[in-house]
Amino acid sequence: MLNFIQIKTRIVHPPKDPIWDILDSLSLQEGDIVFITSKILAIHQGRCVPVKGNNKQDLIKQEASHWTPYTNRGGFHVNLTITDNILIPSAGIDESNAEGHYILWPKNTDKLCREIRKYLMDKFQLENLGVISTDSHTTPLRWGVTGITTGFAGVKPLLDIRGTPDIFGYKMQVTQVNLIDPLTSMAVLLMGEGAEQTPIVILRDYAGLQFCEKSSMADMKISPDIDLYQPMLDVLHPI
């Protein structure tokens, strides 16, 4: 059974607002997984730029490794980008709940998750804890946003079932199960997208993840050159 706990917090204000007090107010137990929206992590770092006097296109090119301008038939002006090896619109830059700022993605998100994890483990005297950074994400050919992992620390992200038999004895050749993103998607659903003020969700008493000190987003990422969707990704121009 999945036990997700929504955490309502104070408003986190751009352009910079450290969240240590919010983290101090949590009540954590051994084996918890803490999901934190990348937005408040970015504000925590001061990764915010005033809308006035700044060009979003310039910021997107600054943050992305690949990009392409696009206006679809519905009239949406979008830059499809690859940022931190993640396919994301507009390099993840957001203007909602931003008080007149562009909020960029956090810098070195895995490192930040490790720092927060250590802080929380020391404070609450824990041996096993996961910290996962989340963001909303679009899916091709689907309306609506879901959630995606943008960085993490303390948990093993994949279950490798290559070489194991299926029910008819056929050995699996390529399948690895993504253990984190489905949980992240549920956490993002519970966080909400508007004025909920629930940027943190805790998953408790879940035995489906292994704790691991050395795992990182590098374990999950596929180079665009060998990705299944490489023919589509070729339209994105390197910066």
Side-chain angles (χ1 to χ4, degrees):
M1 182 175 179
L2 297 178
N3 180 18
F4 284 98
I5 304 166
Q6 297 160 287
I7 305 298
K8 191 175 181 67
T9 72
R10 64 172 177 81
I11 295 174
V12 181
H13 291 277
K16 184 170 183 176
D17 188 352
I19 62 169
W20 299 117
D21 63 311
I22 293 175
L23 299 175
D24 286 342
S25 71
L26 299 178
S27 179
L28 297 180
Q29 298 180 13
E30 187 69 25
D32 282 351
I33 311 295
V34 182
F35 297 86
I36 309 177
T37 177
S38 60
K39 179 168 289 182
I40 68 166
L41 293 177
I43 299 172
H44 170 81
Q45 288 184 328
R47 294 273 292 160
C48 305
V49 177
V51 170
K52 187 176 181 179
N54 288 284
N55 185 292
K56 188 175 181 180
Q57 293 285 310
D58 292 339
L59 292 173
I60 291 170
K61 289 183 179 180
Q62 168 190 300
E63 296 298 308
S65 61
H66 296 71
W67 84 297
T68 186
Y70 172 59
T71 302
N72 77 359
R73 293 176 182 176
F76 299 106
H77 298 278
V78 178
N79 290 102
L80 298 176
T81 69
I82 297 175
T83 304
D84 290 345
N85 212 72
I86 299 171
L87 182 64
I88 192 81
S90 303
I93 296 172
D94 198 1
E95 299 174 60
S96 63
N97 292 316
E99 289 187 310
H101 290 80
Y102 296 121
I103 300 182
L104 315 182
W105 266 358
K107 204 73 172 175
N108 300 319
T109 307
D110 276 353
K111 180 181 178 183
L112 178 58
C113 287
R114 288 194 299 269
E115 291 172 353
I116 289 174
R117 177 175 178 264
K118 184 180 186 307
Y119 179 85
L120 293 174
M121 290 177 71
D122 290 345
K123 178 175 178 59
F124 294 100
Q125 299 183 349
L126 303 174
E127 293 185 4
N128 292 306
L129 183 75
V131 173
I132 298 176
S133 169
T134 75
D135 201 0
S136 301
H137 189 261
T138 57
T139 302
L141 305 179
R142 292 277 193 257
W143 283 112
V145 297
T146 55
I148 192 170
T149 304
T150 61
F152 68 91
V155 291
K156 189 174 180 180
L158 299 173
L159 175 63
D160 190 348
I161 62 172
R162 291 173 293 182
T164 63
D166 68 8
I167 58 175
F168 297 106
Y170 172 79
K171 285 190 175 181
M172 307 296 289
Q173 300 295 314
V174 297
T175 301
Q176 299 187 69
V177 180
N178 183 328
L179 300 174
I180 294 183
D181 279 333
L183 300 172
T184 295
S185 190
M186 177 57 75
V188 169
L189 176 65
L190 294 173
M191 288 175 182
E193 299 292 333
E196 293 87 354
Q197 282 182 236
T198 49
I200 296 177
V201 169
I202 298 169
L203 174 58
R204 180 162 293 162
D205 299 326
Y206 179 64
L209 286 178
Q210 293 183 28
F211 293 95
C212 179
E213 293 291 329
K214 296 182 180 180
S215 295
S216 71
M217 283 293 290
D219 298 319
M220 297 178 67
K221 293 176 179 178
I222 302 174
S223 168
D225 295 335
I226 61 171
D227 192 272
L228 175 66
Y229 299 100
Q230 180 264 334
M232 296 180 179
L233 298 175
D234 277 350
V235 303
L236 299 172
H237 311 299
I239 296 176

